[in-house]
């Protein structure tokens, strides 16, 4: 079910807790919501729909994929400066991102995965993981 987007910085600055198997419905709601904003949104963290669990939807390989409880297990030494926008914020801000990250996570069926992401996909994941920490760009 599509949910409203949270824009209150107080709510968005709360840290998210690990998700469990019973949070799968939140993953579906997140997908429904991000798809409703597909023309201007490449990723979304669950706290943006009011659920402080570590679940994100990110555009990977041309479609939205669910990453649950992602952890960066390795990253490139190199960082670069990126300009990012966020559906929960107005305007664009500058931040630093790793060019390459290796992430362990659970997929939408709660299967454990490990994958390396580069460039824009890596950037989306790092942006959404910041949301889990209550960090806004
Ligand atoms: Zn954001």
């Amino acid at each position: 079910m599509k949910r409203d987007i949270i824009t209150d910085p107080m709510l968005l600055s709360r840290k998210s807790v690990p998700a469990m198997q019973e949070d799968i419905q939140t993953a579906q709601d997140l997908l429904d919501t991000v798809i409703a904003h597909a023309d201007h949104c490449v990723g979304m963290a669950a706290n943006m729909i009011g659920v402080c669990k570590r679940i994100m939807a990110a555009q990977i390989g041309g479609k939205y994929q669910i990453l649950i409880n992602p952890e960066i297990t390795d990253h490139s030494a190199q960082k670069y400066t990126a300009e990012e926008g966020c559906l929960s914020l107005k305007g664009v801000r500058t931040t630093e991102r790793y060019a390459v990250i290796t992430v362990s996570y659970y997929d939408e069926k709660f299967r454990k995965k490990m994958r390396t992401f580069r460039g824009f996909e890596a950037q989306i994941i790092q942006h959404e993981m910041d949301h889990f920490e209550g960090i806004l760009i």
Side-chain angles (χ1 to χ4, degrees):
M1 188 182 72
K2 180 183 171 247
R3 308 268 206 104
D4 291 335
I5 303 291
I6 306 281
T7 55
D8 180 348
M10 281 292 286
L11 291 176
L12 290 170
S13 63
R14 288 173 54 197
K15 257 189 154 184
S16 294
V17 299
M20 317 239 249
Q21 206 137 8
E22 55 260 34
D23 295 311
I24 284 295
Q25 184 57 45
T26 294
Q28 187 58 51
D29 288 353
L30 196 58
L31 266 182
D32 293 342
T33 308
V34 79
I35 286 166
H37 293 276
D39 58 330
H40 58 283
C41 184
V42 290
M44 194 174 284
N47 68 341
M48 293 170 69
I49 59 167
V51 182
C52 286
K53 299 282 175 77
R54 301 173 84 88
I55 304 171
M56 72 166 76
Q59 205 169 57
I60 292 160
K63 63 178 209 136
Y64 293 107
Q65 296 195 21
I66 292 292
L67 281 74
I68 298 172
N69 300 338
E71 306 272 359
I72 294 176
T73 59
D74 199 9
H75 60 74
S76 53
Q78 177 205 358
K79 276 188 165 185
Y80 66 97
T81 303
E83 281 209 326
E84 296 180 358
C86 178
L87 211 56
S88 288
L89 300 169
K90 284 201 171 71
V92 174
R93 301 182 192 192
T94 302
T95 187
E96 299 265 295
R97 297 299 184 202
Y98 296 114
V100 185
I101 53 172
T102 299
V103 183
S104 75
Y105 62 98
Y106 293 85
D107 71 6
E108 76 289 349
K109 295 202 167 75
F110 234 84
R111 293 174 299 206
K112 186 143 189 159
K113 300 270 168 125
M114 173 89 89
R115 208 174 141 182
T116 298
F117 300 95
R118 293 162 200 284
F120 192 48
E121 291 177 351
Q123 184 184 344
I124 298 166
I125 292 167
Q126 288 170 85
H127 176 106
E128 305 312 333
M129 286 184 75
D130 277 355
H131 276 293
F132 296 158
E133 302 305 323
I135 297 167
L136 297 163
I137 11 170

